[in-house]
């Protein structure tokens, strides 16, 4: 599908046909990613989609523990030399 850039104020834009928007499920807010000289548009709603259910499942299976707990709980060099109460 070919289309042309259109002027929108001082910028330019691309019109996306309604059937394309509906088919891929774009919403009002989208993400624009520049990668390897390509522009990728995708729905912003997909960001972190399903994380809440994944975290619930991890909690049920007790798989939501810190994997670096010892390192996090040990005082760092900064804690010893820079931090003051």
């Amino acid at each position: 599908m070919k289309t042309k850039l259109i002027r929108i104020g001082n910028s330019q834009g691309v019109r996306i046909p309604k059937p394309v928007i509906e088919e891929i499920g774009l919403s009002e807010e989208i993400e624009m990613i520049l990668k390897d000289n390509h522009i990728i548009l995708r729905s912003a709603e997909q960001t972190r989609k399903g994380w809440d259910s994944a975290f619930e499942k991890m909690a049920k299976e007790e798989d939501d523990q810190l994997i670096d707990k010892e390192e996090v709980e040990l005082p760092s060099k900064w804690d010893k030399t820079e931090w003051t109460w």
Side-chain angles (χ1 to χ4, degrees):
M1 175 184 305
K2 287 188 178 183
T3 187
K4 292 184 179 185
L5 290 173
I6 58 168
R7 182 160 302 282
I8 303 172
N10 289 331
S11 300
Q12 293 185 355
V14 176
R15 287 193 184 119
I16 304 172
K18 185 177 180 179
V20 172
I21 291 171
E22 290 173 349
E23 183 177 331
I24 59 177
L26 289 179
S27 61
E28 285 186 25
E29 186 173 311
I30 62 172
E31 288 183 79
M32 181 169 54
I33 302 162
L34 305 176
K35 185 176 181 180
D36 299 328
N37 207 27
H38 291 82
I39 299 173
I40 301 168
L41 302 176
R42 68 178 183 196
S43 177
E45 292 178 342
Q46 294 181 359
T47 303
R48 298 182 183 98
K49 184 176 181 179
W51 281 25
D52 53 347
S53 59
F55 289 141
E56 286 176 16
K57 182 180 176 188
M58 287 174 67
K60 282 181 186 177
E61 297 175 3
E62 297 181 1
D63 190 27
D64 59 346
Q65 307 301 315
L66 288 174
I67 58 174
D68 58 353
K69 185 175 181 178
E70 294 80 22
E71 289 181 31
V72 172
E73 291 178 348
L74 291 175
S76 69
K77 180 181 176 185
W78 183 88
D79 291 325
K80 294 175 184 176
T81 61
E82 300 290 328
W83 179 253
T84 58
W85 289 93

